[in-house]
Amino acid sequence: MKLPVYLDNNATTQVDPRVFEVMIPYFLHDFGNAASKSHPFGWKAEEAVDYAREQIATLIGANEKEIIFTSGATESNNLAIKGVYEMYAAKGNHFITVTTEHKAVLDACKHLEKLGAEITYLPVGSDGLLKVEQVAEAIKPNTVLVSVMYGNNELGVIQPIREIGKLCKEKGVLFHTDATQTVGKIPVDVLADNIDLMSFTAHKMYGPKGIGALYVRRKNPRVKVTAQMDGGGHERGMRSGTLNVPGIVGLGKACELARLEMDAEAIRLSALRDKLEKALLNLEESYVNGSAEHRLPHTANISFKYVEGEGLMMGIKDIAVSSGSACTSASLEPSYVLKSLGLDDELAHSSLRFGLGRFTTEEEVDYTINCVTEAVNKLRDMSPLWEMFKEGIDLKSIEWTEH
Amino acid sequence: MAYSDKVVDHYTNPRNIGTLDKSKNTVGTGLVGAPECGDVMRLQIEVNDETGVIQDAKFKTFGCGSAIASSSLATEWLKGKTIDQALEIDNMDIVEELALPPVKIHCSVLAEDAIRMAINDYRAKQGLEPLISEKVHH
């Protein structure tokens, strides 16, 4: 087993060697611009892009013309939200989203608020899930777009996308989903789910960084977004810029591999995840954050009460994970997603996110179980809060000196 | 962010973890920070009645590696010092010794606060006025 162990696959994934291999020619001899219509270099690039479009569309049940290439999910989210706002300004200015969305969605919405949009931020339950009734109640005559993340990056919880999609269709409201963590991990079908716009990216599914896509529905209804960058009018006028051909080829291959292998991979990863989770929940005062039932197969978010997340990560230095602790973020605020569940700040500070992936082995999971268990026990031995808890002192009864 | 060797050393081999009997009137306890801020330090000193020297110091800390290292280092420095000498420990000495980056300076501040609070607790038990810190950190 090679150290350190990588269990941060929700942050990014290793490129699958099979993906890397098919990309190589498009950096070297087949380097043409896909928009060059007058010579074989361009034709070859265009052909590769068209093939990738098909591979991508097939994975999500779309038509290849509905795939708009972007630099990644952040750009896709921005394009969907700001692009819909501009394109449908005559129809209304009300958007609905959720407090646990990624910053790329939340901050795009905040940007629109400054421009005059009205945004409803729906709260989630203690399991991290939104109820379709909440969306139904929030829809108004001037509602243009509902944007709900498919699978949450921090918790892995899966929102009731199909029900929300159905509702939006009935109400004539556009539906966008940020499916960055979901596409390639579990089956996603834009038709069955009634999705109008969907963001995803290659580097979360064993493809390269710097390439993503926005699915934009072409029929029933025909959806358009206003371009957020001016230029050559690529991608049906919605996203200008020379196409990243090697990246697109990589995204295509990553989608094809996911389509063929995702079902078996989901079974293998959820078994490993469950093994990890079960072993770590044997520790006293440890809790799973978010719904354990409606969840992506590869993600576990666990709080170890009375142990601080960054301190814990230092104790497991040969395991790469991430934490909801304030100390790991620039803002010194604990994770807003964990806080949205109604979690006490101290539990948010005590959380670790484990993101398993295609290259995670059982040996690595066993190693992780041992390391984390040892580190939690060691840190609790030096935690004044653990001592108080063991003495039966209610931590809420203490007057803390805030700093 | 990489940790300095000294932070790693204190984190891996913390000095003086433990609990002193806080009912003793020779023991002073300082408890600073808050769970919701992600740092809580408890620092205790035991003062020799006759010599006025801190003969023992213990800590327990909930926090990041830098917070653990700051309190571990503080207990190491406190032992063998008189109260007056202990009051001279400045948070910037801790920053320097542990090579803490700017974002972790608050850990050293917390350790200094814990030292002062422990000393004041000890003074109160001896029937002395609390010392007013001339430094304002917050």
Side-chain angles (χ1 to χ4, degrees):
Chain A
M1 187 177 65
K2 254 180 36 191
L3 293 179
V5 169
Y6 188 73
L7 288 183
D8 204 9
N9 284 283
N10 294 34
T12 194
T13 58
Q14 184 200 314
V15 172
D16 190 304
R18 296 169 290 178
V19 169
F20 181 55
E21 205 178 323
V22 299
M23 292 171 64
I24 295 169
Y26 298 95
F27 288 107
L28 304 172
H29 32 91
D30 299 330
F31 58 84
N33 186 330
S36 300
K37 306 289 185 194
S38 53
H39 51 67
F41 294 90
W43 302 338
K44 210 154 187 192
E46 191 185 21
E47 201 179 298
V49 168
D50 287 346
Y51 184 63
R53 245 188 249 282
E54 261 179 54
Q55 291 171 309
I56 298 159
T58 308
L59 176 67
I60 60 170
N63 180 287
E64 66 269 17
K65 294 199 180 84
E66 298 174 315
I67 306 299
I68 304 295
F69 290 114
T70 66
S71 60
T74 289
E75 188 191 338
S76 296
N77 284 332
N78 272 271
L79 178 57
I81 290 166
K82 295 174 183 170
V84 163
Y85 179 75
E86 279 189 54
M87 182 61 72
Y88 295 89
K91 193 175 171 258
N93 68 339
H94 179 231
F95 282 46
I96 298 168
T97 188
V98 188
T99 55
T100 50
E101 292 293 305
H102 191 270
K103 285 284 180 194
V105 167
L106 292 175
D107 287 357
C109 287
K110 283 197 188 121
H111 178 84
L112 294 187
E113 274 180 303
K114 283 186 207 145
L115 300 179
E118 182 195 342
I119 316 276
T120 300
Y121 299 93
L122 296 173
V124 294
S126 57
D127 55 3
L129 292 174
L130 182 70
K131 290 193 172 65
V132 65
E133 297 79 40
Q134 290 175 268
V135 183
E137 282 164 24
I139 291 178
K140 305 195 291 186
N142 63 335
T143 305
V144 177
L145 182 79
V146 171
S147 180
V148 177
M149 189 187 255
Y150 212 126
N152 186 269
N153 50 319
E154 287 194 34
L155 307 167
V157 299
I158 299 171
Q159 300 294 359
I161 292 302
R162 189 157 295 184
E163 288 89 328
I164 297 170
K166 185 165 171 274
L167 170 79
C168 290
K169 183 148 191 82
E170 283 164 11
K171 300 275 182 188
V173 173
L174 293 177
F175 179 40
H176 167 250
T177 183
D178 172 4
T180 306
Q181 299 286 347
T182 317
V183 169
K185 309 294 170 54
I186 59 168
V188 168
D189 184 327
V190 291
L191 290 181
D193 288 347
N194 281 307
I195 293 165
D196 295 313
L197 298 130
M198 181 169 79
S199 306
F200 54 105
T201 192
H203 78 100
K204 308 280 194 196
M205 50 194 275
Y206 315 101
K209 293 164 185 62
I211 183 73
L214 179 66
Y215 160 78
V216 182
R217 183 184 281 269
R218 268 182 95 225
K219 261 200 286 196
N220 191 27
R222 182 181 178 87
V223 180
K224 286 220 78 179
V225 292
T226 303
Q228 298 300 302
M229 278 192 299
D230 297 312
H234 307 71
E235 300 300 273
R236 294 167 50 218
M238 288 189 255
R239 203 277 192 176
S240 286
T242 297
L243 290 178
N244 169 3
V245 178
I248 288 168
V249 167
L251 173 57
K253 184 68 180 175
C255 286
E256 181 187 281
L257 292 175
R259 182 171 59 81
L260 298 172
E261 299 175 2
M262 146 174 94
D263 292 348
E265 195 163 278
I267 292 169
R268 188 183 80 86
L269 289 183
S270 60
L272 284 182
R273 190 267 316 271
D274 292 347
K275 180 180 188 182
L276 174 74
E277 194 164 89
K278 199 168 159 233
L280 294 181
L281 291 180
N282 278 334
L283 286 162
E284 258 181 283
E285 295 294 311
S286 57
Y287 304 94
V288 171
N289 295 315
S291 166
E293 190 190 341
H294 302 282
R295 197 160 48 141
L296 295 169
H298 62 286
T299 308
N301 189 310
I302 305 178
S303 283
F304 304 94
K305 222 172 167 184
Y306 313 116
V307 173
E308 195 276 328
E310 191 192 350
L312 181 53
M313 287 206 289
M314 194 173 166
I316 52 168
K317 61 176 174 24
D318 283 327
I319 304 169
V321 292
S322 70
S323 170
S325 160
C327 284
T328 61
S329 68
S331 66
L332 292 180
E333 278 289 317
S335 149
Y336 67 92
V337 172
L338 293 173
K339 288 179 80 172
S340 297
L341 306 191
L343 228 60
D344 285 348
D345 277 10
E346 62 183 273
L347 265 180
H349 280 294
S350 306
S351 77
L352 291 186
R353 179 186 68 184
F354 301 91
L356 282 62
R358 184 173 289 169
F359 305 104
T360 305
T361 64
E362 181 152 19
E363 191 188 10
E364 290 175 330
V365 167
D366 291 337
Y367 175 81
T368 302
I369 291 169
N370 288 335
C371 282
V372 173
T373 304
E374 207 174 286
V376 167
N377 286 331
K378 178 186 164 178
L379 288 171
R380 281 181 172 169
D381 282 343
M382 63 169 101
S383 165
L385 305 180
W386 181 249
E387 187 183 302
M388 290 174 197
F389 164 71
K390 281 290 171 183
E391 286 170 357
I393 297 168
D394 179 7
L395 294 182
K396 300 221 176 342
S397 71
I398 293 174
E399 237 177 81
W400 300 104
T401 56
E402 306 259 347
H403 59 102
Chain B
M1 179 176 47
Y3 295 97
S4 71
D5 292 345
K6 281 182 178 161
V7 169
V8 172
D9 179 41
H10 276 280
Y11 176 88
T12 318
N13 311 294
R15 332 289 199 254
N16 311 308
I17 292 178
T19 308
L20 298 172
D21 180 359
K22 64 175 174 222
S23 66
K24 280 166 91 173
N25 70 350
T26 51
V27 169
T29 302
L31 180 67
V32 296
E36 60 266 30
C37 302
D39 296 296
V40 176
M41 261 180 215
R42 190 190 63 198
L43 202 142
Q44 294 181 298
I45 52 170
E46 181 161 18
V47 183
N48 186 307
D49 273 343
E50 288 163 19
T51 60
V53 167
I54 297 171
Q55 60 184 26
D56 203 0
K58 297 276 187 204
F59 85 95
K60 279 200 176 187
T61 290
F62 162 85
C64 63
S66 302
I68 290 168
S70 295
S71 38
S72 170
L73 176 67
T75 58
E76 211 175 30
W77 280 355
L78 284 168
K79 281 206 214 178
K81 283 198 164 69
T82 63
I83 293 288
D84 285 346
Q85 288 166 335
L87 285 168
E88 283 168 21
I89 296 174
D90 185 274
N91 81 290
M92 288 315 289
D93 300 336
I94 296 173
V95 171
E96 206 172 306
E97 174 69 15
L98 296 176
L100 296 182
V103 68
K104 294 296 181 187
I105 287 176
H106 72 277
C107 297
S108 69
V109 172
L110 213 54
E112 189 190 312
D113 288 350
I115 293 172
R116 285 167 186 272
M117 195 168 165
I119 288 171
N120 273 338
D121 183 50
Y122 167 76
R123 286 179 61 92
K125 284 179 175 175
Q126 303 299 315
L128 300 167
E129 292 286 300
L131 300 166
I132 291 156
S133 175
E134 70 277 21
K135 284 176 72 172
V136 178
H137 290 298
H138 307 291

